[in-house]
Amino acid sequence: MDSPYMRDYIRNFTLNNGPRGNQGYSRVLLQLFGYPGHGKSSFINSCKYVMDDGPYKAHAKVAVSEENPETMIRYAYKLTETITLVDNRGCPKMNKDETGEIYAQLGNFLPLDTEVTWHTEYKDMMEILLKTETQEENVDLIVPVFIYRAVRAKVGTGLETEDLLDTKIVRELGHLWS
């Protein structure tokens, strides 16, 4: 599939064209998550550049290092009439406290375009989740997208290289959905 065709396909994508219609969904939220500094904001800037078909513009501010993350607010970036990219706050450790926050962000329990504060107390997290029960029904089709910067590492004889996804990360992500 060539690039102009793909861009036009994405621009014209609508949930109404599916075999069962939109099933009550009004938009697609591509929920980006991952470690700080691994490229969530850069991915958004690249997508916007391709879809806007104009000069490059930094829509999402990009961190200069993993130690100094830039995104502290869940910003929404409209890509098309149907598709919105969400730049969620990066998770430095992906421990049990942070996975609760990831769940709240990816499940869209936290409002868009507001600051994300890490909660370490179960009670605080439950209060946030229960508050969303009284809000309007969500009509977003949520698609989580894990952004990870792979590293180049020598394998085998040392002559060849391949991109390696840290198996520790795969294990850590596994418990999010189990």
Side-chain angles (χ1 to χ4, degrees):
M1 187 179 304
D2 62 6
S3 296
Y5 175 80
M6 188 180 304
R7 182 177 49 233
D8 289 341
Y9 181 84
I10 293 169
R11 278 186 184 145
N12 297 317
F13 174 81
T14 174
L15 290 164
N16 296 325
N17 290 346
R20 295 187 178 131
N22 64 27
Q23 298 187 34
Y25 296 113
S26 61
R27 70 177 172 178
V28 176
L29 282 186
L30 296 176
Q31 296 272 19
L32 307 181
F33 73 109
Y35 289 106
H38 276 239
K40 295 176 294 298
S41 299
S42 294
F43 179 78
I44 288 170
N45 290 332
S46 295
C47 288
K48 293 288 287 175
Y49 170 68
V50 170
M51 295 307 293
D52 291 349
D53 201 22
Y56 179 83
K57 177 184 173 195
H59 296 270
K61 196 168 181 186
V62 177
V64 293
S65 72
E66 291 179 38
E67 292 77 32
N68 297 308
E70 196 57 53
T71 305
M72 298 296 169
I73 295 174
R74 297 184 66 227
Y75 285 117
Y77 298 90
K78 191 171 186 174
L79 194 61
T80 69
E81 288 302 312
T82 306
I83 303 170
T84 299
L85 299 167
V86 180
D87 196 2
N88 288 295
R89 182 175 176 181
C91 314
K93 300 175 190 161
M94 291 234 194
N95 60 24
K96 66 180 177 119
D97 296 326
E98 287 184 0
T99 54
E101 293 289 338
I102 294 168
Y103 175 77
Q105 289 181 62
L106 296 182
N108 219 29
F109 295 111
L110 300 177
L112 295 173
D113 301 319
T114 58
E115 187 171 359
V116 174
T117 306
W118 295 123
H119 297 90
T120 57
E121 297 295 322
Y122 177 79
K123 182 182 106 193
D124 296 336
M125 180 55 66
M126 288 310 297
E127 284 178 18
I128 290 170
L129 296 177
L130 290 173
K131 267 188 211 176
T132 62
E133 286 292 314
T134 61
Q135 297 173 356
E136 289 182 27
E137 279 294 315
N138 221 341
V139 292
D140 298 325
L141 177 61
I142 297 170
V143 180
V145 179
F146 181 64
I147 303 292
Y148 179 77
R149 181 184 65 230
V151 295
R152 297 280 247 180
K154 302 246 184 226
V155 294
T157 64
L159 300 175
E160 67 275 350
T161 63
E162 68 179 54
D163 289 327
L164 298 176
L165 179 60
D166 188 345
T167 56
K168 178 182 175 216
I169 292 170
V170 174
R171 285 193 310 270
E172 289 172 349
L173 289 174
H175 76 271
L176 279 176
W177 293 281
S178 57

